[in-house]
Structures are given as C-alpha cells and as structure tokens.
Amino acid sequence: MNHIEAFLYGGKAQEVLQENRPESFIEIKRSPQHMQHEVIFAVKPNEVGLEELRLMVDDISSPSSTRYQQWLTYSTVGDLVSNHESTKNVTFWLETTYSYCSENNEKEVASVDWKSTHGDYIKASASICHWEKLFKTEFYEFSDRQRTFSSKISERPVHRARHYSLPLHIEPHLFAVFNTVQAPPVLSQRHHLISSEEGDPLPQQAASKSPVTVQFLNQLYDLTSNKASSALSQSVFETASEYFSPSDLKLFQQTYKLRELPAVSIGDQATSSPCSTSGGSPSCFEGNLDIQYISGLAQLASSIYWYVPSGKGYTDPFVAWITAVANTQQPPQSNAISWSSLEMYMTASVMTAFNTQALKLAAMGVTIAVASGDDGAPNSYYPGNSNTAQCMCSLDSSSSNKKNYWTSSTGPGGGAVTKSGWSGQGYFPYFPASCPYVTAVGATMGPEYGNPEVACQSQQGGVISSGGGFSTFFAQPAWQQPTVAAYLRAANASALTTPAAGFNPRGRAYPDLALIGVNYQVMVAGKLVGMYGTSASAPVFAAFITLLNTARRAAGQPAVGFINPSLYSAGRNRSGLFTDVTSGSNKCCSTGVPASPGPGPVCCSSGFTALPGWDPVTGWGSLGMSQLSKLFNSSSLAADSYSGAAWQHSSTHWAFSLTAVLCIFWLSTCF
C-alpha cells in the first residue's frame, strides 16, 4: 500500500461513477501517466446560506415584495454561501498528499493554481499518475465523435475516469470534482443558414418580404433609440470552435449605419482571417450573429464576446462560463446563451453547479437570456458516429439508458433521480434553457411577411421550430405553477390540443417568451447571409434588457435583473401586456434534420400547441420596448439623435479584469 492509500483509504471511501456517457464518447486507451491534467474541485456550499439565498431571491424578484429588486452585492452573496472551512480542508489535502509519480521518482503533490474569491472552486493540476493514486482510479483517453455546430465530425480527445473515490474525511467538503467522470456536453446546432448573396438560392418556403435587420427590429418592437449607457456591459457566451470577425462587425455597422464600436474579446476568438462560408475554419456564423445583433441593438454598452473552450483539457463550458461570470464583482447585467445540449446528455453535477451559479447571479440582479432550441419539443441528436441528425419522435422518453431524471420525488436539481410514472416518446428538453434562473427565449415568425406573429414552425416555412417543453431535472418553480396548470387545463380541454404523453408536467416549463427568429441578415466573410433560430432571438432580448437598464439607470432605478417572476405575475394579472402568440405548434424538428424518405422537416406526435396566455411553444408571446418599460415602470427611452458620426468608447480596464478571471480559470497560460 503506497503513501496515499495508507493515509487516505484505510477505511471505506466514497465512490463516484461516470455520469451520463453519450454513445459517441468512446474509450480509446489509457492516459499517459506523466501528462499534466487539470481538475476543478467544487466545494460544497454552506447549505443553510444557500437555502437562505434561494428564499431571498424569491423575495427580491417578486413584484409584490417590499424588497422588490433590492439586489445583493457580490460580497453579500459570497458571504452567504461560502464554506471557508471546507475550502481550507480541501486545499490542505491537495497540498500535503503526495505520491511517487514524477519521472525521477520524487515526491509529487498537486499544484493548487487558482481559488475563486469566495473559495467555492479550486483549480489544481498534477500528473495523471498522481490523480489516479489520489482518486483510486484509472484515467483513459476518450474521443467524442459527436457532430457539433462548427464541424462535420469533431474529434475531441479528453481524459476521463470511469469512476473516482474520495476519502471519507474529504467527501463531505466537496459537491463535485470536474474533469474526472463528466463527459463533455454534446452541443446542439445553434444556427440555420438559409440564404446568401452568392450562395444557394433561398428556398421558396423561406422567402420573406422583409429581411430582419436592426432597423426592422426597431420598428417591430418599438425601439425609439439604440443608445445604451456606456457604463453598462452585455455579453454573448460562445464555445466549441466559434470565432467572430471584427472586420465583419465593422462592415455590418457601416452597412446599416450603426455606431462603429468594437466588441470586447474574452477568450482570444476574434479572427483576422476571413470567415469560412463552407463549414471550415474559422467558423463565424453563430459568433457573428450574436455579437452583431446584441451590439447593434444596444449600442455604446460594452459588448463582450465571451468565449469558453470545450473539449480537450477543459471543464464543462457552461459551468466554466457561469462560474467566471459569478466570480466577477461587476458582471455584465445582461447575457445571452445561444448554445445548448439535451438534458439527457448532461450530468447532474454540471446542471446543479450551473443552477447554483445562476442563482447567485439572479441575486445580483443579472439577466441571462437563453435560446430555447430549434427542433421543437422532440429535438434531434446524432446517433453513434453518424453525421446525420435524427428527430427524436420515436425515442422512448423514459428509456433507462438515457438516464433521465424525472420522477414524482425530489432529486438533486429539485426535479428527480429515479423514475416513477414516466411513459411516452419524443420529449427531450434542452439545457440550459430549462434552468429556473434563466429566461428562455423562443422564436416567432410572420412579421417578415407583414403578418402577425405566430410560432416559428419549420413545416410552415420557418426553417426552425421554436423549442419548448418541460425539464426532466429541474422542478417547476412556484412563480410558474399556476400558469402551467392553467395551460394544461386548457390544452386538455380539446383533443386537438391535448399533448401526447411523455413529458414531465411538474418540471420547469419553457420558454418564457419569444421574439422573431427568421431571416436575420448577418455579415459573414464580407457578405450578408440569412440566418434563422432562437440563437438570434436570445441575444436580441438580451439587448432589450440592456436598453431597459439604460432607462432605469437614468431614472435612478436598479437593473431589472431576474425577471421571470415579474413576467409570470404580469401575464396572469395584466391582460394585454404581451403580444400573445396563439397560433402554431412545436411538433416538428428543423429543416436541418432530414426526413427519410423525402424532404424535411420531420414532424412528431409529441409536442405542444400555442394557446391564449402562456404555452410551451412561445411562452407568454413577444413584447417590445414600450411593453417592457410599462412592465418594469421605466421611463421611455429618449429619442436618439445619432446622425451617423463615429462614436468612440473605451472598455480597456473592464475587459482586462475579465480577461484575468478567464485566463486563470480555464487556460494554463493567459492569452
């Protein structure tokens, strides 16, 4: 028995098995023993303080509370949930437990490279050999052959274990140990390219009278000004191999006579090379869409392209991003996430960690807008090593090998861990849209033809279908329960609208609202292309929040922050506030998921129908700036007198502080 085994494992140890492993995550060979590997230790929070924080967020986000929108400071949140004793114990364990793993057979201890300000995360590096002895396990190289957004087949070798063990005196101090048994997320396609000036012609069913531009959105959603406060910041989350082009951003601004303001790049993904228009590298479609529209609609605010790597050597990108944001003393008040994965491919530890950080940001008055998905309620996946997507109509929602969580009992995410009463097919919700502390944004169509908004539907020419449904992991929050119950009563009143069995009626329901999601004009490689998806509507809504916060700041009011309880309260009690979307459904996958035989899209029996009021297709419907201002009692935005002159704005100090956080948390070396 070596030093570690004698010191730590004289008795029983707590073993953790590999969490949800996708079919495409294939074991290749043992990891090299002397290779350095980074591990992230998530310290278990102060449970009493965490519960107190949940109750406080419920209170300060409720419009009926006397403490409404009295958001907490970064230090107050940290003081509530920090567990300094556990941080100290884990750090001591890492720094004093040695093995004989060095090439010279000398003592090796882990290097503690970084600790978050409040000690909730510890980053450490050591050789694979050392981690194997510390965790009583073996690491293997895995290859994730799942098709991703930015490449045809992505080979992403990662080093993971089938299981790991913690000594009994350390296990109570840790919530999770990342980069050990968690497979990387299988990222879903987030944009749909349909037309270009020199590419394939626009399909007849997708043609539109008015392409969507900043000016089109201003008119549709009654924005009288795009001038945001230079004191505010907003961000778009990006991952995989996604870049953005500063030259395309400048040309986009010049083409539509917008203020020429560069984006802040966090993560070194601003490319000076021309973007690929044929699926190669650098891929910029999603990145350009997100940054061009959030910065174009809310001008003068610092617009951050916040990139997090995924794959080899990195922790889960969702957890890494939101942890870095939550560990920033003054985080962007408005954020957009256009990326997602199916809940069935996510691990419980990752989803819970993300939700905890989202709770902290909600307490600090931060808004997170998340795309609800583009394949309706069924969603799609790439089976095995296939590079052809399949709509999940016939997949058993309760299949044990998919490791879903829903049950009637409460589990780690507030939802479930064991099955009870699950039956049906074709319901696979998206994460992080299913997180209770984000605002999930669906998609509409219609105004591009001069018609009223209806749910975006692929089978009706919308190219994508607005994502929506019910979480299998997160419980339905109290602010949503009366609304969901009303929808289910109305839907079940008619055979035409009764949804097929297989969804979790007690799960967090989404989306919360929707905006137009079709034919956005995006500058890529110097040419305009038409793009479709909820990945367009999410950054647009994040920009709306920045403009709303600008007006509130001028009036001496706090940021709107975590808006979901206000949305649902207003939807139930203030008739006519939303533009209700009552037509359409989300039973079909996008046209990017081919039908067999014949052309797409694939439509399923599973899914939901839009009805008056809230529904899991477009949420409460859409709302413009005047409606948002009325909802949050903000003064109208001042008329914008911008005449086309160049504007200059400096964000150097702010960008440097965020860059420092990121290069420490994710990367071995700063960029």
Side-chain angles (χ1 to χ4, degrees):
M1 183 176 289
N2 62 34
H3 170 78
I4 288 180
E5 290 172 333
F7 180 68
L8 300 180
Y9 299 105
K12 286 187 176 181
Q14 175 68 35
E15 184 177 58
V16 178
L17 301 177
Q18 192 172 73
E19 300 186 66
N20 289 11
R21 176 175 162 182
E23 297 171 359
S24 61
F25 197 57
I26 301 169
E27 183 179 303
I28 304 298
K29 60 185 178 181
R30 281 288 302 275
S31 298
Q33 289 294 288
H34 298 297
M35 188 194 77
Q36 289 291 297
H37 183 66
E38 179 183 288
V39 173
I40 307 292
F41 295 85
V43 176
K44 190 171 292 185
N46 179 332
E47 293 294 345
V48 174
L50 187 62
E51 181 58 27
E52 184 178 351
L53 185 64
R54 290 192 186 101
L55 295 174
M56 292 177 73
V57 169
D58 288 345
D59 183 32
I60 60 181
S61 63
S62 171
S64 62
S65 171
T66 57
R67 300 181 64 241
Y68 182 49
Q69 294 180 336
Q70 294 181 22
W71 309 117
L72 308 182
T73 65
Y74 171 78
S75 59
T76 300
V77 171
D79 290 343
L80 272 173
V81 300
S82 294
N83 189 344
H84 296 296
E85 187 64 27
S86 288
T87 303
K88 179 180 177 181
N89 287 335
V90 173
T91 302
F92 180 80
W93 172 62
L94 289 170
E95 293 181 335
T96 60
T97 306
Y98 62 85
S99 66
Y100 290 96
C101 278
S102 70
E103 295 187 58
N104 298 324
N105 203 32
E106 297 176 350
K107 287 183 180 180
E108 178 183 356
V109 295
S111 171
V112 175
D113 303 321
W114 177 79
K115 286 189 283 188
S116 58
T117 305
H118 298 296
D120 48 349
Y121 282 85
I122 301 169
K123 170 183 168 183
S125 56
S127 68
I128 287 288
C129 172
H130 182 75
W131 291 131
E132 288 186 344
K133 293 182 183 299
L134 197 70
F135 295 137
K136 290 195 70 176
T137 189
E138 294 178 344
F139 276 80
Y140 292 83
E141 181 179 303
F142 288 83
S143 179
D144 183 359
R145 296 196 173 105
Q146 183 66 258
R147 180 180 175 120
T148 63
F149 163 85
S150 59
S151 60
K152 291 183 178 180
I153 295 290
S154 177
E155 295 282 356
R156 300 182 294 163
V158 294
H159 298 273
R160 296 291 186 267
R162 298 168 182 163
H163 60 86
Y164 71 86
S165 296
L166 292 171
L168 292 179
H169 74 286
I170 291 298
E171 186 273 334
H173 298 295
L174 289 171
F175 161 71
V177 183
F178 294 115
N179 288 357
T180 53
V181 295
Q182 302 85 6
V186 177
L187 300 173
S188 302
Q189 184 173 351
R190 304 309 305 137
H191 81 271
H192 297 267
L193 175 68
I194 297 298
S195 64
S196 70
E197 290 183 345
E198 58 181 16
D200 296 332
L202 187 68
Q204 183 63 39
Q205 76 273 14
S208 64
K209 178 181 178 181
S210 300
V212 174
T213 64
V214 169
Q215 287 79 4
F216 179 94
L217 293 166
N218 286 346
Q219 183 175 1
L220 177 61
Y221 294 119
D222 50 87
L223 275 70
T224 60
S225 172
N226 295 118
K227 184 179 179 180
S229 170
S230 61
L232 298 180
S233 58
Q234 55 189 1
S235 83
V236 292
F237 161 81
E238 307 293 341
T239 188
S241 300
E242 194 65 17
Y243 291 82
F244 84 97
S245 168
S247 61
D248 280 339
L249 175 60
K250 183 174 183 179
L251 184 56
F252 177 80
Q253 293 164 342
Q254 292 172 342
T255 300
Y256 292 109
K257 297 180 172 57
L258 310 175
R259 295 178 176 88
E260 294 183 33
L261 183 69
V264 176
S265 176
I266 301 297
D268 199 26
Q269 290 294 101
T271 179
S272 58
S273 302
C275 297
S276 172
T277 58
S278 58
S281 181
S283 172
C284 306
F285 286 113
E286 182 64 49
N288 279 7
L289 165 63
D290 292 349
I291 200 66
Q292 287 175 17
Y293 275 87
I294 197 171
S295 64
L297 283 163
Q299 300 164 33
L300 289 186
S302 295
S303 296
I304 304 100
Y305 188 92
W306 200 323
Y307 174 80
V308 181
S310 64
K312 184 177 180 180
Y314 303 108
T315 189
D316 178 274
F318 297 113
V319 171
W321 174 79
I322 200 167
T323 299
V325 176
N327 276 280
T328 303
Q329 290 198 25
Q330 294 183 325
Q333 289 183 321
S334 183
N335 305 270
I337 300 177
S338 294
W339 297 79
S340 64
S341 182
L342 296 176
E343 276 190 348
M344 74 173 187
Y345 285 144
M346 300 300 298
T347 65
S349 60
V350 164
M351 289 192 287
T352 302
F354 182 96
N355 194 53
T356 299
Q357 300 303 317
L359 168 67
K360 295 178 184 179
L361 289 170
M364 294 165 62
V366 173
T367 305
I368 305 173
V370 178
S372 71
D374 298 341
D375 287 314
N379 280 312
S380 63
Y381 80 127
Y382 293 84
N385 296 332
S386 173
N387 63 353
T388 301
Q390 292 185 14
C391 200
M392 301 168 74
C393 302
S394 59
L395 265 67
D396 182 1
S397 302
S398 61
S399 177
S400 60
N401 69 334
K402 297 303 177 186
K403 292 187 169 64
N404 288 290
Y405 301 98
W406 170 46
T407 184
S408 55
S409 62
T410 299
V417 285
T418 58
K419 277 176 275 294
S420 173
W422 178 288
S423 64
Q425 296 177 326
Y427 291 96
F428 295 91
Y430 266 134
F431 171 88
S434 61
C435 174
Y437 296 106
V438 308
T439 300
V441 186
T444 66
M445 56 186 280
E448 74 279 12
Y449 294 102
N451 298 325
E453 285 181 289
V454 298
C456 196
Q457 305 161 85
S458 59
Q459 78 278 20
Q460 296 296 326
V463 179
I464 65 105
S465 293
S466 182
F470 296 79
S471 175
T472 62
F473 185 75
F474 295 109
Q476 202 168 98
W479 43 262
Q480 193 178 49
Q481 290 171 6
T483 298
V484 174
Y487 168 78
L488 292 175
R489 285 194 301 270
N492 291 329
S494 169
L496 296 176
T497 57
T498 299
F503 65 95
N504 174 16
R506 291 177 291 277
R508 189 309 201 211
Y510 72 98
D512 303 302
L513 52 88
L515 297 174
I516 192 168
V518 297
N519 206 13
Y520 278 69
Q521 299 302 288
V522 182
M523 193 68 67
V524 180
K527 301 291 183 180
L528 288 173
V529 298
M531 294 176 62
Y532 294 65
T534 56
S535 58
S537 49
V540 166
F541 186 71
F544 286 4
I545 294 297
T546 299
L547 292 172
L548 184 61
N549 284 339
T550 294
R552 291 176 62 85
R553 180 183 177 87
Q557 299 171 320
V560 291
F562 177 48
I563 65 172
N564 290 7
S566 296
L567 292 179
Y568 282 78
S569 175
R572 289 191 297 268
N573 302 313
R574 299 173 68 175
S575 176
L577 183 65
F578 295 88
T579 300
D580 199 359
V581 177
T582 60
S583 177
S585 67
N586 61 1
K587 298 183 179 183
C588 302
C589 286
S590 70
T591 56
V593 182
S596 180
V602 178
C603 295
C604 310
S605 60
S606 55
F608 305 96
T609 302
L611 293 175
W614 179 90
D615 54 68
V617 184
T618 60
W620 287 103
S622 69
L623 72 173
M625 189 54 60
S626 62
Q627 294 164 303
L628 275 170
S629 297
K630 185 183 298 183
L631 171 59
F632 291 103
N633 194 28
S634 302
S635 58
S636 299
L637 288 171
D640 189 359
S641 59
Y642 173 62
S643 60
W647 287 71
Q648 294 183 346
H649 180 64
S650 175
S651 314
T652 306
H653 176 74
W654 191 92
F656 177 81
S657 65
L658 250 65
T659 302
V661 171
L662 285 169
C663 73
I664 292 171
F665 192 82
W666 291 309
L667 308 177
S668 298
T669 58
C670 295
F671 35 82

